[in-house]
Amino acid sequence: GENVEQHPSTLSVQEGDSAVIKCTYSDSASNYFPWYKQELGKRPQLIIDIRSNVGEKKDQRIAVTLNKTAKHFSLHITETQPEDSAVYFCAASNPSNTGKLIFGQGTTLQVKP
Amino acid sequence: NAGVTQTPKFQVLKTGQSMTLQCAQDMNHEYMSWYRQDPGMGLRLIHYSVGAGITDQGEVPNGYNVSRSTTEDFPLRLLSAAPSQTSVYFCASGGGGAYEQYFGPGTRLTVT
């Protein structure tokens, strides 16, 4: 079955710097890759997603890139702000396999003011 | 629209007790799923459903049962609680399979 590895497990940056979180997946048939943000004590919230027919997607300060050949995808946050501090999860899904969504282990991002 | 709701928010059980975690959504989503979240383990899929009457196992199904009699509700049953089931449980729903899943607020379960 699908396996998703996420790195790093923790990331600390200065406010205004960029942050990059990387994930690799094992099932070459996966074609949906969402990213979730979870603040302390809250539910995970979908912040951006990408499907395999595109290589990059942007939404303001957030972007996701996908390399299907290498089976990895990344989350890029530019001009980080303290409110970006949270745990970020990547996930992958192969809809032909009934659409199970498999998550990475999470990255704790700390943005220092 | 309430979105995805879960009850209870907190629960303490003794080993061997049974209980049902409730999940409901009012978005007419066909896809619903249950995850557990443990420190350092991310979100692990327990069971999921692609529509009323259809359920399947996820990554960690042992010790849990589900049923889906309506589109709106997807309860998770613990038949005989064990300390290893201490966790935070999240229900999620999506309108197009695994695409764009939205999570409920979670249930924090402690088994002593």
Side-chain angles (χ1 to χ4, degrees), chain B residues 26-106:
Chain B
D26 61 0
M27 298 173 282
N28 202 32
H29 285 168
E30 291 294 327
Y31 190 94
M32 296 186 74
S33 53
W34 277 101
Y35 296 88
R36 61 177 289 173
Q37 185 173 35
D38 304 294
M41 302 291 288
L43 292 148
R44 292 184 292 170
L45 181 65
I46 304 171
H47 285 286
Y48 65 101
S49 170
V50 298
I54 305 169
T55 64
D56 205 348
Q57 297 181 349
E59 302 170 273
V60 288
N62 292 341
Y64 308 96
N65 280 351
V66 293
S67 60
R68 184 94 180 272
S69 56
T70 67
T71 299
E72 295 78 19
D73 301 297
F74 191 43
L76 179 72
R77 298 184 188 86
L78 284 70
L79 300 179
S80 179
S84 60
Q85 294 178 304
T86 293
S87 188
V88 179
Y89 291 85
F90 288 100
C91 177
S93 75
Y99 300 128
E100 298 186 16
Q101 289 195 51
Y102 296 93
F103 282 79

Side-chain angles (χ1 to χ4, degrees), chain A residues 2 31-32 34 36 38 41-46 49 51 89 93 95 97-106, chain B residues 4 31 35 37 40-43 45 48 50 56-59 90 97-106 108:
Chain A
E2 176 67 278
N31 67 355
Y32 177 63
Y36 284 81
Q38 186 179 30
K42 301 289 183 64
R43 72 188 79 186
Q45 292 195 304
L46 180 65
D49 58 13
R51 304 193 188 193
F89 292 97
S93 175
N97 185 22
T98 67
K100 289 189 289 188
L101 194 59
I102 304 301
F103 283 82
Q105 296 85 350
Chain B
V4 181
Y31 190 94
Y35 296 88
Q37 185 173 35
M41 302 291 288
L43 292 148
L45 181 65
Y48 65 101
V50 298
D56 205 348
Q57 297 181 349
E59 302 170 273
F90 288 100
Y99 300 128
E100 298 186 16
Q101 289 195 51
Y102 296 93
F103 282 79
R108 185 173 294 274

Side-chain angles (χ1 to χ4, degrees), chain A residues 14-31:
Chain A
Q14 288 295 134
E15 182 177 0
D17 287 351
S18 295
V20 180
I21 303 170
K22 299 181 179 181
C23 289
T24 60
Y25 61 98
S26 61
D27 185 352
S28 57
S30 289
N31 67 355

Side-chain angles (χ1 to χ4, degrees), chain A residues 52-69:
Chain A
S52 61
N53 56 341
V54 298
E56 183 176 6
K57 184 177 179 180
K58 289 183 179 180
D59 183 3
Q60 300 182 348
R61 297 185 296 108
I62 293 173
V64 57
T65 58
L66 171 65
N67 183 329
K68 285 216 75 179
T69 302

